[in-house]
Amino acid sequence: MKVLCLALIGLASALAVVGQEARQVTNATQIRFKYELYTAQNGALRAAATGNTHANDLVHAVFVDSKGWVFVGTQNGLAVYDGKQWTNRTFRLEGQSLAGRAVLGLMGISECGPEKIAEGPPGTIWLGGSGCGVWRFREGRYAEIGSSPLSDDYLGMAVDNGGSLWVVTRQSVQKYDGRAWSEVLSPYVTGAVHRELPQLFGMVVGTNGSVWIGGTAYGSPQAPWKHEGAVWVVDQGKKQRGDGPPMAGLYEFDGKGWRAFGPPHGLNLPSRDGAIPELDGGGRVVAKTGKGYYVRNGENWTRINESEVYAGKRWVLRGRRPGSPTGYYAELRFRDGESLVPVRPTNPQTGQVLDLGSEPWLHLAEDRSRDCIWLGTMRGLYKIWPERREP
């Protein structure tokens, strides 16, 4: 019996040593990152009509659908990767102001590409852009949706749980139910307070199906609202002199009606600032403001740390402005266990290291089917992936 006990103790010690060595090896394993660059010059993105191969490397939007197809909206068109090859398409430019068309004409630009891309239901891709209107891609065919918003500013696009398409411009929120467009939110007012018109920023659909819209926070927390058909506006009859529009930086539509949230609900919104809704790693709706991040807590909003927003996210793209008021620094990180490690990928062909640095225009889409991300920049589209190696 004593011999058996000693043998078991020895076996346990050996296993502990092996386990410790395994942990040491695991901890010593390093993640290296690689990248490939796709541009108009190498044929992935479409070259502009002017013949300048670099004129169309400016990426406005990147989206990976449920089938793993990659959709890339650029300055002058659309690039689609189906897993085997790239195809390109352009859209005619219309709806711009006369001055806007004149400026673009001098630049030799007569085509446009999508700035926002959304999916829903699976197999249907929605594309929208300034002067391009809204298009639907389904079963390999493109169809323009008539009477769509042709605003110069497309700030958000999403599909709700009912399959309706929502488009946010600076002026209003439009909804397409498959038959017709309707304006569903217009936080604008007229008259003496025209100088205080608020603006909309973007949107997100929550896990419970609610649609969240973010905007500026001009005006007064006490300014009253009234409902005119499907549109919420300020009640001019009850407005106190000088109040302006309501100071609401965030709007929620739960399928039945609208709610507006501002400083009275705990959101700390600086003057002429607002809130941008986004989903954190756990699917919660988070309001990003100039004073930090806030999350819904009952009827109010409470401040949370930035690290809580990133919890659960595999790839994190941050932008920060150290020092100079005009300075900007982009930072990409990858979650390895509990840690977020910096991403500085190298080109496997040239060995060149990619440093995002002061890149101001970045769009990220995670591609789980290929274990990578697609990062749109002003210089083209980057595919970045992790590679684990022993040191």
Side-chain angles (χ1 to χ4, degrees):
M1 185 67 179
K2 183 177 181 180
V3 174
L4 177 62
C5 291
L6 291 175
L8 291 174
I9 293 173
L11 177 61
S13 300
L15 290 175
V17 171
V18 171
Q20 183 177 2
E21 291 177 350
R23 285 194 298 273
Q24 290 175 349
V25 170
T26 301
N27 291 339
T29 301
Q30 296 180 351
I31 302 179
R32 301 179 184 180
F33 298 90
K34 302 292 185 182
Y35 79 86
E36 292 179 356
L37 175 61
Y38 299 87
T39 64
Q41 190 171 13
N42 60 30
L45 309 182
R46 183 184 184 278
T50 58
N52 184 351
T53 56
H54 298 287
N56 204 25
D57 290 340
L58 174 57
V59 176
H60 287 292
V62 184
F63 185 84
V64 179
D65 72 2
S66 56
K67 296 187 301 182
W69 285 31
V70 183
F71 293 79
V72 185
T74 65
Q75 180 75 36
N76 299 101
L78 172 71
V80 181
Y81 180 64
D82 62 3
K84 298 180 181 179
Q85 62 181 355
W86 289 92
T87 56
N88 292 276
R89 178 190 171 88
T90 59
F91 303 90
R92 65 180 180 275
L93 185 64
E94 61 181 358
Q96 293 273 354
S97 64
L98 182 60
R101 285 199 299 270
V103 172
L104 294 175
L106 292 174
M107 298 171 60
I109 298 176
S110 60
E111 302 166 332
C112 59
E115 299 169 4
K116 299 297 176 182
I117 307 173
E119 181 180 17
T124 299
I125 300 297
W126 298 95
L127 311 161
S130 301
C132 293
V134 175
W135 292 73
R136 180 180 61 208
F137 176 73
R138 185 168 59 193
E139 297 179 352
R141 297 183 177 182
Y142 294 87
E144 186 175 11
I145 306 303
S147 302
S148 60
L150 290 171
S151 169
D152 291 349
D153 298 294
Y154 272 57
L155 305 176
M157 176 178 285
V159 179
D160 65 19
N161 289 1
S164 295
L165 175 69
W166 293 65
V167 176
V168 177
T169 69
R170 289 196 186 277
Q171 293 79 20
S172 66
V173 180
Q174 305 282 336
K175 179 181 177 182
Y176 180 70
D177 61 5
R179 298 180 301 274
W181 290 94
S182 59
E183 185 181 56
V184 292
L185 176 64
S186 178
Y188 279 66
V189 294
T190 59
V193 293
H194 180 77
R195 57 185 173 82
E196 290 186 304
L197 292 183
Q199 293 181 338
L200 301 176
F201 289 160
M203 68 176 298
V204 69
V205 177
T207 54
N208 65 347
S210 289
V211 178
W212 293 86
I213 312 269
T216 56
Y218 294 167
S220 166
Q222 289 76 37
W225 287 75
K226 69 177 180 179
H227 195 232
E228 293 182 352
V231 180
W232 282 91
V233 298
V234 174
D235 189 340
Q236 294 293 309
K238 298 180 180 179
K239 180 186 69 62
Q240 298 179 8
R241 183 177 179 181
D243 278 347
M247 189 179 287
L250 202 62
Y251 310 88
E252 177 194 13
F253 181 74
D254 62 3
K256 298 179 181 178
W258 287 95
R259 297 189 66 187
F261 298 95
H265 304 279
L267 282 176
N268 189 355
L269 302 174
S271 176
R272 295 185 179 275
D273 200 350
I276 301 176
E278 59 182 67
L279 297 180
D280 68 2
R284 299 181 302 175
V285 175
V286 175
K288 180 181 179 181
T289 75
K291 295 294 185 179
Y293 290 89
Y294 292 80
V295 68
R296 183 86 170 272
N297 184 12
E299 290 300 311
N300 295 316
W301 295 78
T302 55
R303 180 84 175 267
I304 60 174
N305 295 325
E306 189 177 31
S307 59
E308 295 181 65
V309 181
Y310 297 143
K313 289 189 176 183
R314 194 178 184 202
W315 296 85
V316 173
L317 179 61
R318 302 177 58 193
R320 52 193 178 92
R321 302 176 183 274
S324 170
T326 58
Y328 186 89
Y329 186 80
E331 184 180 66
L332 180 62
R333 291 181 176 265
F334 175 80
R335 181 171 300 282
D336 181 27
E338 297 298 321
S339 303
L340 285 174
V341 298
V343 178
R344 289 177 60 85
T346 59
N347 186 309
Q349 280 74 42
T350 65
Q352 183 178 1
V353 178
L354 173 63
D355 184 9
L356 298 178
S358 59
E359 181 70 59
W361 196 313
L362 297 172
H363 306 278
L364 182 150
E366 184 172 355
D367 189 340
R368 292 188 177 273
S369 65
R370 299 180 181 89
D371 193 26
C372 70
I373 61 166
W374 300 88
L375 186 67
T377 73
M378 298 181 67
R379 296 170 291 179
L381 177 72
Y382 290 89
K383 177 184 177 182
I384 303 175
W385 66 94
E387 190 178 73
R388 294 183 181 271
R389 289 186 178 179
E390 302 296 332

